[in-house]
Amino acid sequence: MYHLIVFLPLIGFLIAGLFGRLIGARGSEIVTTSLLIVSAVLSWVAFINVGFGSGTTRVQVASWISSGQLQVDWAFRIDTLTAVMLVVVNTVSSLVHLYSIGYMSEDPHRPRFFAYLSLFTFAMLMLVTSDNLVQMFFGWEGVGLASYLLIGFWYQKPSANAAAMKAFIVNRVGDFGFSLGIFLVFVLFGSVAFDAIFPRAGELVNQSFRFLGYDWNALTLTCLLLFMGAMGKSAQFLLHTWLPDAMEGPTPVSALIHAATMVTAGVFMVARLSPIFEYAPVALAVVVVIGATTAFFAATVGLVQNDIKRVIAYSTCSQLGYMFVALGVGNYGAGIFHLFTHAFFKALLFLGAGSVIHAMHHEQDMRHMGGLRKHIPITAAAMTIGTLALTGVGIPGTIFGFAGFFSKDAIVESAYASVGHGGFASSYAFILLVVAACMTSFYSWRLYFMTFEGAPRWGHGHESHGHGHDDHAHAAHGHDDHGHGHDHTPHESPWVMLLPLVVLSIGAILAGVVFKEAFIGHDFEHFWKSALFMGKDNHILHTMHEVPTWVAFSPFAAMLIGFVLAYLMYVRWPEIPGKLAAANPALYQFLLNKWYFDELYDFLFVRPSKWLGRFLWKKGDGFVIDGFGPDGVSARVVDVTNRVVRLQTGYLYHYAFAMLIGVAGLVTWYLVARG
């Protein structure tokens, strides 16, 4: 069964990629989507079997690397953590495949698109089933490659190519740290296999390692380097800049990669390596601070964005910060719980946004929307459910709440509960997470009100293709708005796009209440078994349920404040936002320009790199190599080479004579040196 779960997407990729022209676009869609649905169904079967029964299983596929002490097998590690990720990856991927049949219906390159989707899914499955760090790194780089191909799918658009390269390069920065961490694990443990590493982690608590001229605690350094990889892949503060630009890819790509799967790879990796991180409290404190900072930073930027997909992208960035805070305070179950619930409601929001873009003939600017609820009621209902789940609507202390209510509140409570032993990092995280919850509610309802409520703003020359937001890029292919001619009235999406919204809506409503006890409640030990490691001094699961009442209600209050502010500013008195922006132009531009990180990195890294490349090209290659002297250095090198080649006569006595000269020279040097 596990072989089928992992390899069915690979088979779909090979069929669509190699024989797409032969079987056609429709055949490619049917084959890849069908195989993903089968894989998703089997993933739920595995989830039930592993989570509520069999426990950890190791499935050997093949021997892979055998080089001295380094022994690496290709094997699947099947435990509860793996099963949760299999459900998330394959469920979302199968629904995205199905959705894409409608969304990409006019694109002439559909076989290539569906092949890339399946390739990404296979790489992600390789990552989450890995039995060792080398196999994890293989999947890690595989999803990076697939994301590059998918973000830049519409390669006719310069902005898509630039976004794909940016994602690839920024991730390489994080992956460099990740690879150094893997090397250090091998140096310290003599193995990269999880079964060999985890039992010995406690033995190295006080061991030091010299790095960059300083002595570091070995496990702290290892975890910091590994977390550097997580920062890149999961778009954490300082390495976050690629995620919003990745919205240049088709909307289904945003839902698959940047909502539910690839960006959660860093969260999965830290949870998988919990037996190491538990013994590195300094590294965990760094995880908390970076996660809380990311949650706050991304929420502030999301307040003022006008592109519907970018608002959701910054929301993703912010919610990933919540997950890392949970991991950093030692509540790994809460972190994975939020990963699990977030997959449903964030994929729902992205696909719902795609349905809005489809209805608006590829318009993405919310300032040119409004009043859409009457025209696309099913999409509006799905987006409402997604917004309720994201903002954490629910009644504290009861079982009534949407998915995000249970998982996000658990993280806030965990941050407060860890203040006693977490010190500054935990206090810092608690404050920023509550503030971020208020901002999350505000920008989420702002998106909903600007898109679905109020007077229509799309009937006055604001139709598609006029604002540089051509998500579907059909203009490049000469296609006319899905066959709707010049009728620019918003239209509901076909059922092949609406069905995934219905399924994800169910998940956004029920995923929290159904699985709460398994992830963070009384069933934790039985459900997780040994998949997540918590040290003997880690009592967070107990203390998080004993926080003061005001702490438990603080996310609820933050959510209400955000909702009320959004309602007043975008429904009752819609002139207020413009006045606020005009009254605070510096702050507005600071947030609108994403804290100027892109400009800063352009100044520090991009321009110097371009200058160096241009210098080496013009001066090094052009002036010195090609132009120095009468015909250039390269011409002189060719002349010298030709003369040297003439020395190779082919006569044996010439070579013997040269050897004798060499022997005589060697003997002479030896005698002189001895003398």
Side-chain angles (χ1 to χ4, degrees):
M1 178 173 69
Y2 300 115
H3 290 83
L4 288 175
I5 292 173
V6 175
F7 289 115
L8 284 178
L10 177 63
I11 294 171
F13 159 69
L14 293 174
I15 293 174
L18 297 177
F19 307 107
R21 292 186 179 181
L22 183 64
I23 64 177
R26 178 61 67 189
S28 300
E29 293 170 348
I30 292 174
V31 168
T32 54
T33 305
S34 300
L35 292 176
L36 254 298
I37 290 174
V38 173
S39 187
V41 171
L42 293 176
S43 297
W44 279 99
V45 174
F47 175 73
I48 295 171
N49 288 342
V50 175
F52 301 98
S54 61
T56 303
T57 304
R58 186 178 187 274
V59 180
Q60 177 83 8
V61 178
S63 295
W64 189 11
I65 300 173
S66 179
S67 177
Q69 192 180 356
L70 179 63
Q71 304 293 321
V72 179
D73 289 334
W74 184 2
F76 303 149
R77 182 185 181 89
I78 308 297
D79 57 15
T80 308
L81 181 59
T82 307
V84 169
M85 294 303 295
L86 289 177
V87 164
V88 168
V89 172
N90 283 325
T91 301
V92 173
S93 183
S94 60
L95 293 173
V96 167
H97 274 73
L98 182 63
Y99 179 93
S100 299
I101 293 175
Y103 191 85
M104 302 294 290
S105 60
E106 295 295 321
D107 197 288
H109 304 295
R110 295 198 299 285
R112 178 165 62 90
F113 181 77
F114 279 85
Y116 289 169
L117 286 182
S118 292
L119 173 64
F120 172 86
T121 307
F122 167 71
M124 193 68 197
L125 293 175
M126 285 293 297
L127 192 161
V128 302
T129 59
S130 54
D131 181 63
N132 55 76
L133 285 168
V134 173
Q135 184 181 331
M136 180 182 284
F137 193 73
F138 174 80
W140 194 271
E141 295 302 306
V143 294
L145 167 65
S147 69
Y148 170 81
L149 296 172
L150 286 166
I151 295 167
F153 176 74
W154 286 319
Y155 53 82
Q156 299 93 342
K157 297 170 62 180
S159 58
N161 289 326
M165 287 193 293
K166 187 176 183 179
F168 199 79
I169 293 168
V170 173
N171 271 277
R172 296 292 73 72
V173 176
D175 293 353
F176 178 70
F178 188 33
S179 59
L180 289 180
I182 295 174
F183 299 155
L184 186 52
V185 166
F186 182 70
V187 169
L188 295 175
F189 293 93
S191 176
V192 292
F194 297 145
D195 287 339
I197 297 169
F198 293 163
R200 295 183 50 210
E203 303 171 8
L204 304 179
V205 171
N206 298 316
Q207 185 168 330
S208 62
F209 186 86
R210 193 161 186 82
F211 180 66
L212 298 178
Y214 295 92
D215 289 325
W216 301 67
N217 178 278
L219 290 184
T220 298
L221 178 61
T222 301
C223 292
L224 288 175
L225 290 171
L226 293 170
F227 179 61
M228 186 175 170
M231 287 176 64
K233 196 67 71 183
S234 295
Q236 292 300 283
F237 189 67
L238 301 179
L239 293 180
H240 65 276
T241 54
W242 66 271
L243 183 65
D245 287 14
M247 297 303 105
E248 288 291 338
T251 299
V253 173
S254 304
L256 178 62
I257 297 180
H258 311 113
T261 52
M262 173 178 155
V263 291
T264 61
V267 179
F268 165 79
M269 183 262 284
V270 174
R272 170 61 80 205
L273 299 179
S274 56
I276 301 177
F277 276 85
E278 271 291 274
Y279 293 107
V282 175
L284 286 177
V286 172
V287 173
V288 171
V289 171
I290 293 292
T293 304
T294 305
F296 175 79
F297 154 75
T300 62
V301 179
L303 294 174
V304 298
Q305 297 301 305
N306 296 309
D307 185 309
I308 188 171
K309 287 172 63 178
R310 282 182 179 268
V311 175
I312 305 174
Y314 277 107
S315 170
T316 297
C317 197
S318 182
Q319 296 305 307
L320 288 165
Y322 276 85
M323 298 176 205
F324 279 110
V325 169
L327 299 175
V329 300
N331 197 342
Y332 305 102
I336 300 300
F337 188 27
H338 198 49
L339 184 159
F340 182 76
T341 60
H342 176 265
F344 291 103
F345 61 74
K346 190 52 64 68
L348 173 62
L349 287 170
F350 264 118
L351 295 184
S355 185
V356 171
I357 294 167
H358 180 273
M360 292 298 296
H361 310 281
H362 322 305
E363 175 64 75
Q364 292 179 219
D365 194 326
M366 296 186 298
R367 293 172 295 184
H368 303 144
M369 297 181 185
L372 291 178
R373 179 167 53 86
K374 298 176 182 178
H375 297 277
I376 48 174
I378 300 176
T379 299
M383 290 288 281
T384 303
I385 293 172
T387 303
L388 291 168
L390 170 61
T391 56
V393 174
I395 304 174
T398 70
I399 62 170
F400 300 105
F402 289 81
F405 164 73
F406 294 99
S407 56
K408 186 163 71 173
D409 284 24
I411 294 173
V412 175
E413 292 166 11
S414 298
Y416 183 87
S418 65
V419 169
H421 66 271
F424 166 77
S426 296
S427 303
Y428 174 81
F430 173 71
I431 295 170
L432 289 195
L433 291 188
V434 174
V435 175
C438 180
M439 292 189 288
T440 299
S441 181
F442 177 83
Y443 67 65
S444 298
W445 289 110
R446 170 180 178 265
L447 182 152
Y448 178 82
F449 293 140
M450 287 183 71
T451 304
F452 295 103
E453 302 297 335
R457 299 181 297 277
W458 39 265
H460 306 285
H462 294 306
E463 289 84 355
S464 66
H465 307 309
H467 309 279
H469 296 292
D470 180 21
D471 176 84
H472 227 289
H474 281 44
H477 301 299
H479 292 288
D480 183 31
D481 298 329
H482 288 273
H484 290 278
H486 298 289
D487 177 16
H488 290 292
T489 303
H491 52 89
E492 188 63 275
S493 300
W495 271 105
V496 73
M497 293 172 62
L498 295 179
L499 183 60
L501 298 184
V502 173
V503 175
L504 290 169
S505 295
I506 296 172
I509 295 171
L510 298 178
V513 65
V514 172
F515 295 102
K516 175 187 176 184
E517 293 300 320
F519 281 90
I520 56 172
H522 300 297
D523 297 335
F524 180 87
E525 291 291 339
H526 173 70
F527 182 74
W528 287 101
K529 304 174 181 68
S530 59
L532 297 176
F533 176 79
M534 301 178 75
K536 63 181 184 298
D537 296 325
N538 187 341
H539 306 296
I540 192 70
L541 277 175
H542 177 69
T543 55
M544 66 173 283
H545 295 295
E546 298 180 345
V547 297
T549 303
W550 70 267
V551 173
F553 273 85
S554 59
F556 178 78
M559 176 271 297
L560 277 182
I561 293 171
F563 169 77
V564 171
L565 287 175
Y567 177 78
L568 294 176
M569 293 172 66
Y570 291 94
V571 177
R572 291 297 302 274
W573 298 297
E575 69 278 1
I576 290 180
K579 292 180 179 179
L580 280 176
N584 302 277
L587 176 61
Y588 179 72
Q589 289 298 321
F590 180 71
L591 298 179
L592 191 65
N593 288 283
K594 304 155 286 189
W595 291 26
Y596 292 104
F597 269 104
D598 284 324
E599 289 77 6
L600 177 64
Y601 288 173
D602 183 69
F603 176 77
L604 292 177
F605 304 115
V606 178
R607 291 183 188 177
S609 298
K610 287 184 175 180
W611 178 87
L612 180 62
R614 191 175 294 109
F615 174 80
L616 293 175
W617 167 35
K618 294 290 188 181
K619 301 299 182 183
D621 193 32
F623 178 75
V624 176
I625 295 176
D626 292 336
F628 191 74
D631 299 309
V633 172
S634 57
R636 300 286 71 80
V637 170
V638 171
D639 292 342
V640 172
T641 303
N642 287 334
R643 294 190 180 97
V644 172
V645 168
R646 292 194 187 103
L647 295 175
Q648 304 292 330
T649 63
Y651 293 112
L652 183 62
Y653 56 87
H654 285 171
Y655 299 143
F657 180 67
M659 291 172 64
L660 286 174
I661 292 175
V663 171
L666 181 63
V667 170
T668 301
W669 173 82
Y670 180 75
L671 293 175
V672 171
R674 293 274 293 186

